[in-house]
Amino acid sequence: MVRTPTAAAVAAALTVAALGLAPTQARAETTAPAAAAVTAAASSPELRFHDIPGSGGITLKGNVVTPADAVPGRTYPLIVLPSSWGMPQIEYIAQAKKLADTGYVVVSYTSRGFWLSGGQVEVAGPPDVADVSAVIDWALAHTPADAGRIGVAGVSYGAGISLLASAHDARIKAVVALSGWADITESIYSGRTQHVQAAALLGAAGYLTGRPSPELRQVLADFAGSRLDREQQLIDWGRQRSASEQIDRINANGAALMLGNAWGDTIFPPNQYGSFYEKLTGPKRLEFRPGDHATAEGTGLFGLPNDTWTNAHRWFDRYLKGERNGVDTEAPVQIKSRSSEGYEGYPSWKAVGAAATEKLPLSDTEHVFTGIDSGADGGIVLLSSALDQFVKAPPAAAVPLLPRAFAAVWQSGRYDTEQRIRGTARLHTTVTPTRSDGTFIAYLYDVGPLGIGKLVTNAPYTFHGRTPNQPFGVDLDLFSTAYDVPEGHRLALVIDTVDPLYIEHNPLGAGLTFTSPRTDPSYVTVPLREK
C-alpha cells in the first residue's frame, strides 16, 4: 500500500527530486504546461513509497524503484537494500535510480527499530535476517521482480544484514557488502579490548534514531561497564550476529559475494573481512581502499562517480544478468595503497604481502608505567582515517619526544628504498605485568627525517587473570593496511597503555615490561610487496 504523505515522505520526495527522480504521485499531478517535465519524468525510473510487512508482523518503511521501460508481463532482477545503522530508507535512492536505469527492480527499506519502521533495534539478530526474506516475498508479489535473480546489498549495518541473509535465504544469488562486518566481536572487541569510541558512536546513534531492544540496552551497558562476568554472554551474542559463524551455510547456498572495506575503518577494521573472504568457496571479490568507515563508498550515495559502486553494479550485472563484463576474470582481491594511486590485484587475501616479509627485532628491554597517554594514539573514530584518505594526514606523533616512562619505542634503520607494506603486520613479544590485568596498544609508525611518525597501523591487547611478575608471550595481529614508506624513512614500533579509541584495564600504579628472551626473541613481522 502506498504510504500517506508525512513529513518524512515530503523530505524523501524533495531528496529524490533533487536527484532527478520523479515519484509517481508527482507525475499524476503534472499539468499540461509542464509537457517537457512530463517527458523527462516518463524516461525516469518509477519511485513509490510503501509499507512493507516485515517478519513478526511489524511494518517496514520502504521504497521501490522500477525501470522506466517496465512493461506488463516482463520481470527484472531484484535488489534489496537494508538501510545502514540510523539511516532512513532514502539512503540508497541515488544508487537505486542508477540500478533501475539499467534494468533492476530495487527495494530499499529502513531497518527495523529505526525511524518509522516498526519493531526494535536487534543488531542484525534473527528478526532482521527474517526481514530480508519478508521483503523479498513482498517484492515478488508486488513488483515485476524475477524470483530467480535476486541480490542483496548494503553499507555498514545493511552489509552485515545482507551477509547474514545469504546464509538463510537460498534465493539470494549475489551480495555486495560494503564497510560491513563478518565478525562483530572481532570488530569491536579485538584483542579482548572494547573499542569504546566505535561502540559509543553506534549506541548514541541507535538511541537517537531508533528504539534499542532491552537485549541491546543490556549489551551496551555490559560492554561499557567492562562486565567480565558477562563476557561470554557478549561473545555468544556477537557470534549469533556474525556471518563468519555461518560460513558453511553461506557456502552451501553459493551466492556470489563482493566485500568492500577501508583500511582505516575504525568501526569494522579490515582483518575480519579478509579472514572471512578466505573461507568463502563460491564466487567472491574483496576490495580494500583508503578511508574510514563508509567513506570509500560514501560519495556514491550522493550519486557521484565512485569506484566501489561501479564495481558493485558490475558484480550484479555479472551474477544476476549473466553479463560477461570481466569482473569475474580480474584478480579477485583488489587493493589500493593509502599513499599511492592505482589498484593492485592479487589471487587471494593470503597473497597480499606474501612476496616478502621483514622481521624487525625488538631486542631492548623496555618498561612502561601504565595509565598515562604518551601521545601515541590511533586517532578519532570516523575522522582520522578520513583525513588520511582525502589529505594524506594520518594520526602523527613526534617519536623522539614520546616520554619513555610511558611509551616503549623500537626503531628500524633508515631504508635505502621505498618499503611497500601490504597486509597484516604481527607483533610477537614477552610481557611481564606487575598486576593481573592490563592493556597495551601497539603502533607502527613511518618516521621521517625530522622524527615525525605517521601512523601506519595499530591494535590493542588486553589480558586478565595473569600472575603478577610472571612473563607470558603475546602474539598480536595489527590492523591490515597498505602503506608505502618512503626512501630515507624508518619504521618505529611504539607501545603505550592508553588510547582514546579503546577502554584500558590498567590498575593504578601498574607497570609492564617488554623483553626479548634468548629462547623466544621478540619481533614485528612486516609484510611487503615485492619490489
Side-chain angles (χ1 to χ4, degrees), residues 305-363:
N306 182 277
D307 289 350
T308 305
W309 281 105
T310 295
N311 288 337
H313 289 223
R314 294 174 65 215
W315 191 254
F316 284 133
D317 288 345
R318 174 66 188 90
Y319 290 102
L320 296 183
K321 291 183 177 180
E323 294 183 3
R324 298 289 180 178
N325 55 20
V327 73
D328 57 329
T329 61
E330 298 169 354
V333 176
Q334 295 284 327
I335 70 171
K336 185 176 182 180
S337 169
R338 291 163 47 200
S339 40
S340 62
E341 298 299 325
Y343 290 89
E344 302 167 8
Y346 295 86
S348 67
W349 173 240
K350 289 182 179 179
V352 177
T357 300
E358 181 174 10
K359 181 181 285 189
L360 305 178
L362 310 178
S363 54

Side-chain angles (χ1 to χ4, degrees), residues 381-402:
V381 66
L382 293 185
L383 176 62
S384 296
S385 293
L387 290 174
D388 181 32
Q389 174 186 1
F390 295 113
V391 297
K392 299 294 189 292
V399 174
L401 301 181
L402 293 174

Side-chain angles (χ1 to χ4, degrees), residues 365-457:
T365 296
E366 297 281 350
H367 178 82
V368 297
F369 294 102
T370 67
I372 301 294
D373 191 343
S374 70
D377 65 61
I380 301 172
V381 66
L382 293 185
L383 176 62
S384 296
S385 293
L387 290 174
D388 181 32
Q389 174 186 1
F390 295 113
V391 297
K392 299 294 189 292
V399 174
L401 301 181
L402 293 174
R404 295 308 196 261
F406 308 113
V409 180
W410 299 265
Q411 295 193 74
S412 72
R414 296 189 186 278
Y415 293 107
D416 295 332
T417 59
E418 180 185 66
Q419 304 296 299
R420 292 179 287 184
I421 299 173
R422 301 290 186 272
T424 307
R426 294 179 170 90
L427 167 66
H428 174 75
T429 190
T430 296
V431 182
T432 305
T434 61
R435 304 291 180 86
S436 60
D437 301 327
T439 297
F440 67 84
I441 304 92
Y443 309 89
L444 190 65
Y445 283 101
D446 160 24
V447 183
L450 298 179
I452 302 301
K454 293 183 177 180
L455 185 65
V456 177
T457 181

Side-chain angles (χ1 to χ4, degrees), residues 75-300:
T75 60
Y76 302 84
L78 168 67
I79 296 177
V80 174
L81 301 169
S83 71
S84 301
W85 185 268
M87 294 294 289
Q89 64 194 49
I90 61 172
E91 174 186 10
Y92 300 112
I93 282 181
Q95 288 302 319
K97 175 187 180 297
K98 290 178 181 289
L99 287 164
D101 279 339
T102 58
Y104 291 92
V105 172
V106 186
V107 180
S108 306
Y109 68 92
T110 303
S111 297
R112 69 165 50 222
F114 287 104
W115 296 94
L116 299 179
S117 281
Q120 297 178 318
V121 181
E122 305 284 352
V123 193
D128 293 288
V129 177
D131 284 342
V132 176
S133 294
V135 171
I136 291 173
D137 292 340
W138 181 89
L140 293 176
H142 294 87
T143 75
D146 187 337
R149 297 184 292 169
I150 298 173
V152 182
V155 174
S156 185
Y157 191 50
I161 291 173
S162 296
L163 286 177
L164 288 163
S166 72
H168 293 271
D169 195 325
R171 296 175 297 179
I172 297 171
K173 304 304 181 185
V175 176
V176 174
L178 306 177
S179 291
W181 76 89
D183 187 330
I184 198 168
T185 304
E186 182 64 21
S187 294
I188 62 173
Y189 194 52
S190 68
R192 209 178 176 186
T193 308
Q194 298 104 312
H195 296 208
V196 63
Q197 285 190 18
L201 179 67
L202 293 172
Y207 277 98
L208 286 172
T209 63
R211 299 169 299 282
S213 67
E215 181 184 34
L216 175 56
R217 292 171 185 267
Q218 186 64 53
V219 164
L220 291 172
D222 292 342
F223 188 85
S226 301
R227 289 280 304 274
L228 282 178
D229 61 315
R230 297 277 299 170
E231 184 179 38
Q232 190 57 52
Q233 286 91 329
L234 291 174
I235 292 172
D236 292 341
W237 177 88
R239 284 176 174 165
Q240 189 182 39
R241 291 158 171 80
S242 296
S244 59
E245 296 290 325
Q246 303 185 42
I247 190 72
D248 291 342
R249 298 183 66 165
I250 291 173
N251 286 334
N253 287 340
L257 268 60
M258 173 181 158
L259 310 174
N261 204 351
W263 294 119
D265 194 318
T266 45
I267 296 180
F268 303 128
N271 301 47
Q272 44 93 33
Y273 246 21
S275 298
F276 175 71
Y277 171 86
E278 284 297 291
K279 298 173 184 176
L280 294 172
T281 59
K284 59 184 180 178
R285 182 180 177 94
L286 177 66
E287 300 183 356
F288 282 132
R289 297 177 175 83
D292 207 313
H293 185 65
T295 62
E297 61 272 10
T299 56

